[in-house]
Amino acid sequence: MQAPQTTSLDPQSPEEWAALRQQAHGMLDDILDYVQALGQGPVWTSAPSEVREQFFKGMPQDGSSLEVTHAAFKRDIMPYAIGNAHPGFMGWVQGGGTPAGLVAEMLAAGLNANVGGRDQMPVEVERQITRWMADLFKFPASASGLFVTGTSLANLIAVWVAKNKALGHETRRRGLRDEQVQLVAYTSAGAHACVKKAMDLAGIGTQYLRVIAMNERYEIDCAALRQQIQQDRAQGLSPFFLAGTAGTVDVGAIDDLNQLADIAQEQNLWFHIDGAFGALAVLAPQIAPRLAGIERADSIAFDFHKWLQVQYDAGFILVRDAQLHYDSFAAAAGYLRREHRGMAANSPWPCDFGPDLSRGFRALKTWFTIQVYGAKRLGGVIQQTCDLAQYLRSKIELHPELELMAPVSLNIVCFRYRSSQADQADVLTARLVVALQESGIAAPSTNVLPQGLAIRAAIVNHRTNANNIDALVEATLRFGKEISVELGL
Ligand SMILES: *Cc1c(COP(=O)(O)O)cnc(C)c1O
């Protein structure tokens, strides 16, 4: 047979390589310009229909060029991102990303490592971060860890490992239907919705997640928790899993982690902590004492892409008992055979600790972020966002038109513009938040609290400063007044 004619997708001559370099350098400069100018434009702009229409075109059979495609990115995509990198962004809980993370992503893309396993240094980077996290949370050095998309998946992994511990690993083969016991899990009404989703995805069913009431500080009510566990045991059910929250998504409350650890110990429950953003507050010396008890957890889920400012996505699960973690996911396959030498050495592999086989090099942008800025400075950013939240609280308390709606525990402030008619309060709040977002001045989101709908400002981004808080308050007062008039209040 004649040798086949092939071409790669790389440039084919030194001249083509030179042109690529020039274009690529220009693209890097452009995105750095964008980052440098963040805060000058609006937080967010909704894409007009002409732009959206571009994305209904069919798949191109013939390519154009990097230059043309980059121009389309600049025209149709870049101006219409959600704006979480912008200092005025305060919606949900989202990190801002950093210049170091930006270039690290570029390096990771060049390497194109598949960090499912094998004998390669990218795996060691992930292991080093696991050891750093074990140390940070005072877990044993033998603890296991894994990068995942985000805390949603990390929480699912925790439920999965806890389920296998409770039922024995034979349950992986047997399936839940043939189990003699009915597992029950516990969390608070302030827990993130993904805890419920995890119970669904794990096949246990959301009806077996007991959602325990909160106290006036929005922390789980431990007395009610104990009572519910007793009641479930009396009915012959098998409590197995307790998820505390360090930094609730609604108001930023931290459950009493030591008390939860005591209950978990007494009741023989897996003690998991959803610390999606809050766990890494252990890096801020003034906040860290409030997380006491976190070191007693069986597993902690958290995101580097929130308070640590690492580029999306970079979630993490830390598990105290690495053997249990491994036994919950490891699966033998002929083509994944391990060796003591050669590329298939270095077992166990990251793929043995989670559902994914092929995995990107999320650890690199996290490693760069921690190497470049250091734990102290990153902890300082966490502290400064909490200081800004207190500054916002103080401004709200100064203005009689504004009403604080929940205690400000960390970096989340829930408030509203007062309505003269109680039944119009939520309409006013909803319209006010849309007006703020559409103005591009500041972008909070909303939250449903017992008293009603709140404007919820979560200060996560390292770029946010006091001017952004002033602008938010000023715009809230202005739009609040305008919308009140429109509503006849
Ligand atoms: C953001 C968040 C989650 C979900 O994390 P993802 O990274 O978005 O999957 C879970 N719990 C809490 C408390 C959160 O703030």
Side-chain angles (χ1 to χ4, degrees), residues 400-401 403 416-426 428 480-481 483-485 487-489:
E401 304 94 313
E403 174 189 2
R416 67 182 166 191
Y417 191 91
R418 287 182 203 273
S419 164
S420 58
Q421 286 173 34
D423 64 341
Q424 293 293 301
D426 288 359
L428 172 59
K481 199 169 177 182
I483 297 165
S484 296
V485 169
L487 292 173
L489 297 170

Side-chain angles (χ1 to χ4, degrees), residues 163-172 174 179:
K163 172 207 70 138
N164 288 353
K165 183 184 182 201
L167 300 175
H169 291 288
E170 177 60 12
T171 191
R172 291 181 67 191
R174 201 164 49 220
E179 291 298 343

